[in-house]
Amino acid sequence: METSTNTEPGAVPGNTTAAPVTHESTAAEAGHHAAFPPFDASTFPSQILWLVITFIALYIVMSRVALPRVGKVIEDRQDRLQKDFAEAARLKQESDAAVAAYEQSLADARRRAQTIAQEARDQAKAASEADRKRAEGDLAGRLEVAEARIAEIKGRALGDVDAIARDATEALVSVLIGGNITAEEAKRAVASSAAKGSGA
């Protein structure tokens, strides 16, 4: 009587020494190879141990190397920002001082310009007044000279009138009475006639 064994296809017939492959062992091997190692519950303790070791190592590296560098970069940036703010404040103060100095110099220049203009007006007024007084003085001098000249001419004219009157008197007397009179007599006649005219 033959005994039939449930062998897998491809098994060597007649080999009675090999261990028979059953369906149960095949299913166990398939289940063992199908599980993902991180999800295998039997490896959880070792995974947690390596996670703790990795976390501690990463923490040490970060706290000893990376974090100090990051902190130094942040401090340097903060220092640069503070220096930039201080420089900006200093430049603002300098610009405000420059604007104030410019406005002050502009106000001083305006005051100086007004002072110079007033001085120029005063000088022009004084020069005009001096020219006017000088012109008035020259005019007064010329007027005096003219008056003296007129008085001289008038005196000469009056003298000439007396001489003309004497000559006319002598001519009239010689024509009217047919005789001659002396110059002294003609002079007295003219003087008496002038006296009568002035008295009238």
Side-chain angles (χ1 to χ4, degrees):
M1 181 175 174
E2 293 180 356
T3 59
S4 62
T5 59
N6 189 6
T7 61
E8 291 292 327
V12 179
N15 187 2
T16 58
T17 59
V21 179
T22 62
H23 289 287
E24 290 81 5
S25 62
T26 305
E29 289 177 0
H32 178 71
H33 290 296
F36 186 59
F39 296 151
D40 190 1
S42 64
T43 61
F44 280 174
S46 63
Q47 290 181 22
I48 292 172
L49 175 65
W50 281 109
L51 178 63
V52 170
I53 292 172
T54 305
F55 178 78
I56 292 172
L58 182 62
Y59 177 78
I60 292 172
V61 170
M62 291 294 291
S63 63
R64 298 278 179 88
V65 178
L67 291 179
R69 291 182 181 178
V70 172
K72 186 167 186 343
V73 169
I74 293 173
E75 289 177 0
D76 293 341
R77 184 174 179 81
Q78 188 69 25
D79 292 339
R80 277 200 307 274
L81 288 174
Q82 290 178 354
K83 289 179 181 178
D84 292 340
F85 287 150
E87 183 69 15
R90 186 182 66 80
L91 292 176
K92 184 178 182 302
Q93 290 178 354
E94 290 181 358
S95 64
D96 292 341
V99 169
Y102 171 75
E103 291 177 352
Q104 182 65 32
S105 63
L106 186 60
D108 293 340
R110 286 176 179 170
R111 283 196 296 270
R112 284 197 300 270
Q114 291 177 356
T115 303
I116 291 171
Q118 185 63 36
E119 289 177 355
R121 285 194 295 269
D122 293 340
Q123 290 177 357
K125 185 177 179 181
S128 176
E129 187 68 21
D131 291 339
R132 186 182 64 81
K133 289 181 179 179
R134 186 167 54 252
E136 288 179 354
D138 293 341
L139 186 59
R142 291 180 182 178
L143 186 59
E144 290 178 358
V145 172
E147 288 177 353
R149 180 67 176 163
I150 290 170
E152 182 183 355
I153 293 172
K154 184 178 179 182
R156 281 203 307 266
L158 289 176
D160 293 339
V161 167
D162 290 340
I164 293 170
R166 284 194 303 268
D167 293 340
T169 302
E170 289 177 1
L172 286 173
V173 168
S174 64
V175 169
L176 292 175
I177 63 174
N180 293 327
I181 62 172
T182 62
E184 186 64 28
E185 290 173 345
K187 184 176 181 181
R188 282 198 301 270
V190 170
S192 64
S193 176
K196 287 179 182 180
S198 62

